[in-house]
Amino acid sequence: MFDTNSQLELPTSSTDVVADKVHLNYAFIKSIFAKKLSIPDYQRPYRWRSEHVLQLLEDIQRNLKNAGSYRIGTIILHRHPGSYDIVDGQQRMVTLNLILHYLYSQTRDMDSKEVRSNCGLPLLSSSFPHSDSQVNIAQNYKAIKEWFKRINGSDHKEFERFILQKCELVEIILDDLSEAFQLFDSQNARGKALEPYDLLKAFHLREMAEEVEEEKKKCVKSWEEAVNKGMLNNLGKYIFRIRKWARGGNAGEFGKADIAEFKGISINDAVNYPYMKSILMNDVLLNNMGGNSLYKIMGVETNFPFRLTQPIVNGRMFFEMIEHYNEKYTRLFEDDNLIKTFYQEYCKYNGHHRIGDRYVSELFKALLLFYDDKYGKEDLQEVVFVFYKWAYRLRLTKMRVFYGSIDKHVSEDNLFKKVELSYYPKQIKSFNVSINVDEIKLGDSELKDIFKGLICLK
């Protein structure tokens, strides 16, 4: 599980971290835990499960008798005056804290609270607000206790001493948060594949090099909150596909090869381009308005007027755009009574849970989100039926619906492009959707009865 012979490779491209800004050395666990470590708010939950913990314990046990040191990975720290935030390595560090907590409780005459307070285990005093973290910490601590009970004759003091004095990490300390994430991106890309969302976060943080530290933290915290709530999937499931379909392109499943869609133009490079002037002027104006309480009292909107198909502006505006559409998704599909009622009545038919039906549901939601982004609630009570018939016609006329079926359906009759090119909602309301009875593949079904009720079968 752990590569003890891996060599650290610093980035080499012109946009990568400059080596003299990186403080790098090999550090034993005792030395690392002597620092004031903290888990920043933007970090994800503690997700290691018992199998990861047991693998680490077994790896350590196999190396107990080795005379030399045992390297167990890398830790990336962001240094503040007097403290260090863990950027990468949280999972392993929390696990080592749990292991040492158990060992200390066996070798010292202390209760659990005294161990946390007096034995230099910095992370166990941290707050773990996410329920996943709390559950995994409890389960993993139980697994640690049970593992040591199974190892008859194990010397707790020897195990403790080996972890503190023989286990080492490649310790990388940086003073700039965006550079820390850049290095995190680079190092992880050499190991297990990063999610495209992680790559985008690292890229856009690098684009915020000139921003103040608090602004970076705010963006990352918002991003990780979206991850924890499962909202970041909206980026690939809806935003990516809407942007591609509105231009008449194809949109498969979002992956690493597609992240270029969300790498746009840097503010400093865009100042002289006419097409960017309206975006930059709005940003400056609204930032100034946002700091004036009078506008809030008057109820004047001071949020940026994002559009799903607008140019991507790297850095802060990208993070704000994704947060904006996560909030819009929630308002539309969870708070809007019209859409909630419609969805319950027309989209919760028998069989709606099937994979193909879920793909169609996502297509329908993407179209609603795109329309709402352009026209708001104007004529939505009529347009929603047009979109429903257009999207669910695919389900009614196909025995099976695959992910690729959605792309094909859009390319044959691209309603996203029609919305993009329209000037008024009436142009969308007039869009006609009908199905010949001989096209129907599902036979007798609740969905067929719904379409009959909508009078669109002929």
Side-chain angles (χ1 to χ4, degrees):
M1 180 177 180
F2 304 105
D3 181 5
T4 60
N5 297 311
S6 63
Q7 295 297 312
L8 178 72
E9 294 182 59
L10 289 177
T12 56
S13 75
S14 60
T15 58
D16 284 330
V17 178
V18 179
D20 61 8
K21 294 182 179 180
V22 179
H23 306 273
L24 181 152
N25 67 291
Y26 298 116
F28 291 112
I29 298 300
K30 184 176 182 179
S31 169
I32 294 172
F33 282 177
K35 294 179 172 66
K36 187 177 180 182
L37 300 178
S38 62
I39 299 173
D41 293 340
Y42 57 73
Q43 276 287 13
R44 295 184 182 181
Y46 174 64
R47 288 265 165 77
W48 265 24
R49 298 192 177 276
S50 58
E51 58 264 29
H52 303 115
V53 176
L54 297 179
Q55 181 67 62
L56 176 58
L57 285 167
E58 289 164 7
D59 287 348
I60 293 172
Q61 186 192 35
R62 277 197 301 271
N63 287 273
L64 268 177
K65 304 303 180 183
N66 289 348
S69 61
Y70 174 54
R71 194 179 309 159
I72 59 173
T74 300
I75 184 169
I76 300 177
L77 302 174
H78 173 219
R79 177 164 52 192
H80 301 276
S83 66
Y84 298 82
D85 283 348
I86 299 176
V87 175
D88 186 31
Q90 175 207 177
Q91 308 293 320
R92 188 172 290 115
M93 289 298 99
V94 172
T95 303
L96 288 168
N97 271 248
L98 293 174
I99 295 170
L100 287 169
H101 182 281
Y102 173 77
L103 292 171
Y104 289 165
S105 70
Q106 300 300 302
T107 58
R108 292 160 172 76
D109 186 19
M110 296 180 181
D111 60 24
S112 181
K113 184 177 180 180
E114 289 173 321
V115 169
R116 287 199 303 272
S117 301
N118 302 317
C119 293
L121 299 178
L123 300 184
L124 296 189
S125 299
S126 300
S127 172
F128 292 93
H130 200 285
S131 58
D132 285 359
S133 297
Q134 297 165 13
V135 169
N136 288 329
I137 285 172
Q139 290 179 344
N140 289 348
Y141 192 70
K142 180 181 179 183
I144 290 166
K145 291 196 291 186
E146 291 175 351
W147 186 84
F148 277 103
K149 288 177 182 176
R150 291 197 303 271
I151 308 301
N152 295 325
S154 62
D155 186 333
H156 291 143
K157 280 190 174 295
E158 181 187 11
F159 214 96
E160 171 193 320
R161 187 164 48 248
F162 183 82
I163 291 176
L164 290 171
Q165 299 178 14
K166 293 293 185 180
C167 289
E168 69 175 9
L169 292 162
V170 177
E171 180 187 62
I172 308 169
I173 302 174
L174 298 101
D175 297 317
D176 183 88
L177 182 63
S178 59
E179 290 180 349
F181 270 100
Q182 181 183 359
L183 188 56
F184 165 75
D185 172 10
S186 173
Q187 288 305 115
N188 280 276
R190 294 179 173 87
K192 76 168 187 174
L194 285 176
E195 293 290 327
Y197 310 106
D198 293 316
L199 296 172
L200 281 173
K201 179 178 74 174
F203 172 81
H204 286 285
L205 276 173
R206 292 198 296 273
E207 292 289 313
M208 294 178 68
E210 303 302 319
E211 299 271 5
V212 297
E213 208 70 11
E214 286 306 310
E215 193 66 45
K216 297 175 189 176
K217 288 184 178 180
K218 178 183 174 183
C219 290
V220 178
K221 183 178 180 181
S222 169
W223 184 269
E224 293 304 335
E225 284 176 352
V227 171
N228 295 338
K229 293 176 183 176
M231 293 295 291
L232 206 55
N233 290 330
N234 290 344
L235 188 151
K237 194 182 293 184
Y238 299 111
I239 302 175
F240 167 71
R241 298 165 86 190
I242 289 169
R243 288 175 62 87
K244 299 287 278 189
W245 286 332
R247 297 197 301 264
N250 296 323
E253 193 163 1
F254 184 63
K256 287 173 64 174
D258 302 304
I259 64 175
E261 177 66 33
F262 296 104
K263 292 182 176 182
I265 190 163
S266 300
I267 289 285
N268 293 336
D269 297 335
V271 289
N272 295 319
Y273 298 158
Y275 83 95
M276 285 295 298
K277 284 185 178 178
S278 62
I279 292 176
L280 298 177
M281 289 172 66
N282 268 323
D283 185 47
V284 172
L285 175 63
L286 292 171
N287 280 334
N288 291 335
M289 289 173 62
N292 191 326
S293 59
L294 178 61
Y295 291 109
K296 295 179 181 178
I297 294 171
M298 295 170 61
V300 176
E301 179 67 53
T302 59
N303 294 324
F304 189 88
F306 288 106
R307 283 290 324 280
L308 278 163
T309 53
Q310 75 170 62
I312 296 295
V313 182
N314 296 336
R316 172 181 55 82
M317 288 189 69
F318 168 77
F319 288 110
E320 291 176 351
M321 179 181 180
I322 300 306
E323 182 178 17
H324 170 81
Y325 284 108
N326 282 335
E327 292 173 353
K328 180 179 280 289
Y329 178 91
T330 299
R331 288 195 302 270
L332 184 61
F333 296 111
E334 297 179 19
D335 300 336
D336 188 291
N337 287 329
L338 168 67
I339 298 302
K340 282 176 65 176
T341 302
F342 184 95
Y343 197 82
Q344 187 65 37
E345 183 174 353
Y346 291 98
C347 303
K348 294 285 189 176
Y349 53 83
N350 291 332
H352 74 275
H353 59 279
R354 295 171 300 200
I355 293 176
D357 296 75
R358 291 206 299 270
Y359 292 157
V360 173
S361 172
E362 290 169 6
L363 175 64
F364 173 57
K365 284 184 172 182
L367 201 44
L368 282 173
L369 186 63
F370 190 34
Y371 180 89
D372 181 69
D373 184 53
K374 185 164 186 174
Y375 294 117
K377 301 299 183 290
E378 186 74 21
D379 292 336
L380 186 60
Q381 69 276 13
E382 298 174 64
V383 169
V384 67
F385 284 98
V386 175
F387 290 169
Y388 177 82
K389 289 184 286 186
W390 178 82
Y392 279 86
R393 176 179 63 184
L394 174 63
R395 173 67 280 189
L396 199 60
T397 58
K398 301 291 182 184
M399 287 296 294
R400 294 182 179 180
V401 175
F402 302 97
Y403 205 88
S405 307
I406 303 296
D407 230 22
K408 188 171 185 292
H409 181 68
V410 174
S411 66
E412 290 173 348
D413 190 10
N414 193 335
L415 196 45
F416 287 90
K417 196 169 182 179
K418 288 181 171 66
V419 172
E420 174 68 359
L421 298 177
S422 65
Y423 292 106
Y424 303 102
K426 64 183 180 182
Q427 294 172 269
I428 308 302
K429 287 194 302 179
S430 63
F431 188 77
N432 182 50
V433 180
S434 62
I435 304 174
N436 291 317
V437 174
D438 56 7
E439 291 183 90
I440 297 173
K441 303 297 183 184
L442 288 185
D444 293 329
S445 68
E446 187 178 350
L447 182 59
K448 180 179 177 182
D449 293 337
I450 290 173
F451 267 71
K452 283 181 179 178
L454 295 176
I455 320 177
C456 60
L457 295 182
K458 64 180 182 181

Short mmCIF file of all heavy atoms in Angstrom, two decimals, residues 10 43 72 83 105 110 121 126 165 171 205 207 216-217 223 262 265 275 292 295 354 371 405 415 421 441:
data_model
loop_
_atom_site.label_atom_id
_atom_site.label_comp_id
_atom_site.label_asym_id
_atom_site.label_seq_id
_atom_site.Cartn_x
_atom_site.Cartn_y
_atom_site.Cartn_z
N LEU A 10 9.65 17.27 -7.86
CA LEU A 10 9.08 18.60 -7.88
C LEU A 10 8.65 18.92 -9.30
O LEU A 10 9.23 18.42 -10.26
CB LEU A 10 10.10 19.63 -7.40
CG LEU A 10 10.41 19.58 -5.91
CD1 LEU A 10 11.50 20.60 -5.59
CD2 LEU A 10 9.17 19.86 -5.09
N GLN A 43 -10.77 21.23 4.11
CA GLN A 43 -10.44 19.82 3.92
C GLN A 43 -11.69 18.96 3.85
O GLN A 43 -12.71 19.26 4.47
CB GLN A 43 -9.54 19.31 5.05
CG GLN A 43 -8.07 19.59 4.84
CD GLN A 43 -7.45 18.69 3.76
OE1 GLN A 43 -8.15 18.02 3.02
NE2 GLN A 43 -6.14 18.70 3.69
N ILE A 72 6.59 6.30 4.96
CA ILE A 72 5.19 5.92 4.77
C ILE A 72 4.39 6.93 3.94
O ILE A 72 3.17 6.85 3.90
CB ILE A 72 4.48 5.71 6.14
CG1 ILE A 72 4.53 6.97 6.99
CG2 ILE A 72 5.07 4.52 6.88
CD1 ILE A 72 3.71 6.87 8.27
N SER A 83 1.66 27.99 13.19
CA SER A 83 0.84 26.79 12.97
C SER A 83 0.99 26.31 11.53
O SER A 83 1.51 27.02 10.66
CB SER A 83 -0.63 27.07 13.28
OG SER A 83 -1.16 28.00 12.36
N SER A 105 -2.72 4.96 25.67
CA SER A 105 -3.68 4.55 26.70
C SER A 105 -3.31 3.22 27.34
O SER A 105 -3.71 2.92 28.46
CB SER A 105 -5.09 4.45 26.11
OG SER A 105 -5.20 3.34 25.22
N MET A 110 -3.25 6.97 32.05
CA MET A 110 -4.05 8.14 31.71
C MET A 110 -5.36 7.71 31.10
O MET A 110 -5.45 6.67 30.44
CB MET A 110 -3.32 9.02 30.68
CG MET A 110 -2.02 9.64 31.13
SD MET A 110 -1.31 10.63 29.77
CE MET A 110 0.21 11.21 30.55
N LEU A 121 -0.77 14.73 20.58
CA LEU A 121 -1.54 14.22 19.45
C LEU A 121 -2.41 15.36 18.94
O LEU A 121 -3.59 15.48 19.31
CB LEU A 121 -2.39 13.01 19.86
CG LEU A 121 -1.61 11.80 20.38
CD1 LEU A 121 -2.55 10.69 20.81
CD2 LEU A 121 -0.64 11.30 19.32
N SER A 126 -8.83 18.40 17.19
CA SER A 126 -9.50 19.12 16.10
C SER A 126 -10.99 18.83 16.12
O SER A 126 -11.46 17.82 16.65
CB SER A 126 -8.93 18.71 14.75
OG SER A 126 -7.55 18.99 14.67
N GLN A 165 9.82 7.28 16.03
CA GLN A 165 11.25 7.49 15.80
C GLN A 165 11.79 6.85 14.52
O GLN A 165 12.90 7.18 14.09
CB GLN A 165 12.05 6.99 17.00
CG GLN A 165 11.69 7.71 18.29
CD GLN A 165 12.46 7.18 19.48
OE1 GLN A 165 13.45 6.45 19.33
NE2 GLN A 165 12.02 7.53 20.68
N GLU A 171 8.31 15.60 4.08
CA GLU A 171 7.60 16.76 4.59
C GLU A 171 7.85 17.96 3.67
O GLU A 171 9.00 18.35 3.45
CB GLU A 171 8.08 17.08 6.01
CG GLU A 171 7.39 18.28 6.64
CD GLU A 171 8.03 18.66 7.97
OE1 GLU A 171 9.24 19.02 7.96
OE2 GLU A 171 7.34 18.59 9.00
N LEU A 205 -7.02 27.69 -8.15
CA LEU A 205 -6.31 28.28 -7.01
C LEU A 205 -4.98 28.89 -7.47
O LEU A 205 -4.57 29.95 -6.99
CB LEU A 205 -6.05 27.23 -5.93
CG LEU A 205 -7.20 26.99 -4.96
CD1 LEU A 205 -6.89 25.80 -4.07
CD2 LEU A 205 -7.47 28.23 -4.12
N GLU A 207 -4.50 30.23 -10.24
CA GLU A 207 -4.86 31.47 -10.93
C GLU A 207 -5.17 32.60 -9.96
O GLU A 207 -5.34 33.74 -10.37
CB GLU A 207 -6.07 31.21 -11.85
CG GLU A 207 -5.79 30.32 -13.03
CD GLU A 207 -4.92 31.00 -14.07
OE1 GLU A 207 -5.21 32.15 -14.42
OE2 GLU A 207 -3.94 30.38 -14.53
N LYS A 216 -8.75 33.09 -1.03
CA LYS A 216 -8.49 31.72 -1.47
C LYS A 216 -9.18 30.72 -0.55
O LYS A 216 -9.81 29.76 -1.00
CB LYS A 216 -6.98 31.45 -1.47
CG LYS A 216 -6.18 32.30 -2.44
CD LYS A 216 -4.69 32.04 -2.27
CE LYS A 216 -3.85 33.03 -3.05
NZ LYS A 216 -2.41 32.84 -2.81
N LYS A 217 -9.05 30.95 0.75
CA LYS A 217 -9.66 30.03 1.72
C LYS A 217 -11.18 30.01 1.57
O LYS A 217 -11.81 28.95 1.68
CB LYS A 217 -9.28 30.44 3.14
CG LYS A 217 -7.84 30.16 3.49
CD LYS A 217 -7.56 30.50 4.95
CE LYS A 217 -6.12 30.17 5.33
NZ LYS A 217 -5.85 30.50 6.75
N TRP A 223 -15.99 25.31 -2.14
CA TRP A 223 -15.82 24.16 -3.03
C TRP A 223 -15.95 22.84 -2.26
O TRP A 223 -16.67 21.93 -2.69
CB TRP A 223 -14.46 24.27 -3.69
CG TRP A 223 -14.14 23.22 -4.72
CD1 TRP A 223 -13.52 22.02 -4.51
CD2 TRP A 223 -14.39 23.29 -6.13
NE1 TRP A 223 -13.37 21.35 -5.69
CE2 TRP A 223 -13.88 22.10 -6.70
CE3 TRP A 223 -14.97 24.24 -6.96
CZ2 TRP A 223 -13.96 21.84 -8.07
CZ3 TRP A 223 -15.04 23.98 -8.32
CH2 TRP A 223 -14.56 22.80 -8.86
N PHE A 262 -13.47 24.13 -18.58
CA PHE A 262 -13.56 25.05 -17.44
C PHE A 262 -12.22 25.75 -17.15
O PHE A 262 -12.02 26.27 -16.06
CB PHE A 262 -14.04 24.30 -16.20
CG PHE A 262 -15.44 23.77 -16.36
CD1 PHE A 262 -15.66 22.43 -16.61
CD2 PHE A 262 -16.52 24.63 -16.30
CE1 PHE A 262 -16.95 21.94 -16.77
CE2 PHE A 262 -17.81 24.17 -16.47
CZ PHE A 262 -18.03 22.81 -16.71
N ILE A 265 -10.02 32.20 -19.36
CA ILE A 265 -9.08 33.30 -19.54
C ILE A 265 -8.75 33.92 -18.19
O ILE A 265 -9.59 33.98 -17.30
CB ILE A 265 -9.66 34.35 -20.50
CG1 ILE A 265 -8.59 35.37 -20.89
CG2 ILE A 265 -10.89 35.04 -19.91
CD1 ILE A 265 -8.95 36.18 -22.11
N TYR A 275 -14.65 41.51 -25.88
CA TYR A 275 -15.66 40.55 -25.44
C TYR A 275 -15.66 40.33 -23.93
O TYR A 275 -16.64 39.86 -23.36
CB TYR A 275 -15.50 39.21 -26.18
CG TYR A 275 -14.47 38.27 -25.59
CD1 TYR A 275 -14.85 37.27 -24.69
CD2 TYR A 275 -13.13 38.35 -25.95
CE1 TYR A 275 -13.91 36.38 -24.17
CE2 TYR A 275 -12.20 37.48 -25.43
CZ TYR A 275 -12.60 36.49 -24.53
OH TYR A 275 -11.66 35.62 -24.02
N ASN A 292 -21.40 48.37 -0.13
CA ASN A 292 -22.23 49.51 0.26
C ASN A 292 -23.54 49.00 0.84
O ASN A 292 -24.36 48.41 0.14
CB ASN A 292 -22.48 50.39 -0.97
CG ASN A 292 -23.11 51.71 -0.62
OD1 ASN A 292 -23.90 51.81 0.32
ND2 ASN A 292 -22.77 52.75 -1.38
N TYR A 295 -27.23 49.61 -0.80
CA TYR A 295 -27.82 48.75 -1.82
C TYR A 295 -28.55 47.57 -1.20
O TYR A 295 -29.60 47.14 -1.69
CB TYR A 295 -26.73 48.25 -2.78
CG TYR A 295 -26.16 49.33 -3.65
CD1 TYR A 295 -24.87 49.81 -3.46
CD2 TYR A 295 -26.91 49.89 -4.68
CE1 TYR A 295 -24.33 50.81 -4.26
CE2 TYR A 295 -26.38 50.89 -5.49
CZ TYR A 295 -25.09 51.35 -5.27
OH TYR A 295 -24.58 52.34 -6.07
N ARG A 354 -34.87 3.33 -12.80
CA ARG A 354 -33.96 2.60 -13.70
C ARG A 354 -32.86 3.54 -14.21
O ARG A 354 -33.08 4.75 -14.31
CB ARG A 354 -34.73 2.00 -14.88
CG ARG A 354 -35.72 0.92 -14.47
CD ARG A 354 -36.59 0.50 -15.63
NE ARG A 354 -37.37 1.63 -16.16
CZ ARG A 354 -38.47 1.48 -16.89
NH1 ARG A 354 -38.92 0.28 -17.20
NH2 ARG A 354 -39.11 2.56 -17.34
N TYR A 371 -32.99 26.95 -19.16
CA TYR A 371 -34.06 27.92 -19.41
C TYR A 371 -34.16 28.92 -18.26
O TYR A 371 -34.27 30.14 -18.48
CB TYR A 371 -35.39 27.19 -19.59
CG TYR A 371 -36.56 28.12 -19.84
CD1 TYR A 371 -36.90 28.50 -21.13
CD2 TYR A 371 -37.32 28.63 -18.78
CE1 TYR A 371 -37.97 29.37 -21.37
CE2 TYR A 371 -38.38 29.49 -19.00
CZ TYR A 371 -38.70 29.85 -20.30
OH TYR A 371 -39.74 30.72 -20.53
N SER A 405 -27.11 7.45 -25.55
CA SER A 405 -28.42 7.72 -26.17
C SER A 405 -28.84 9.16 -25.97
O SER A 405 -29.50 9.76 -26.83
CB SER A 405 -29.48 6.79 -25.58
OG SER A 405 -29.11 5.44 -25.63
N LEU A 415 -32.69 21.02 -28.61
CA LEU A 415 -33.50 22.06 -27.97
C LEU A 415 -32.64 23.01 -27.14
O LEU A 415 -33.02 24.16 -26.91
CB LEU A 415 -34.58 21.41 -27.10
CG LEU A 415 -35.76 22.28 -26.64
CD1 LEU A 415 -36.32 23.11 -27.78
CD2 LEU A 415 -36.84 21.40 -26.03
N LEU A 421 -30.30 30.30 -28.80
CA LEU A 421 -30.47 31.24 -29.90
C LEU A 421 -31.77 32.03 -29.82
O LEU A 421 -31.99 32.93 -30.63
CB LEU A 421 -30.39 30.50 -31.24
CG LEU A 421 -29.05 29.81 -31.54
CD1 LEU A 421 -29.14 29.04 -32.86
CD2 LEU A 421 -27.91 30.81 -31.57
N LYS A 441 -41.99 1.99 -27.78
CA LYS A 441 -41.33 0.71 -27.53
C LYS A 441 -41.69 0.11 -26.17
O LYS A 441 -41.49 -1.08 -25.95
CB LYS A 441 -39.81 0.87 -27.60
CG LYS A 441 -39.29 1.45 -28.92
CD LYS A 441 -39.57 0.55 -30.10
CE LYS A 441 -38.98 1.13 -31.39
NZ LYS A 441 -39.32 0.31 -32.57
#
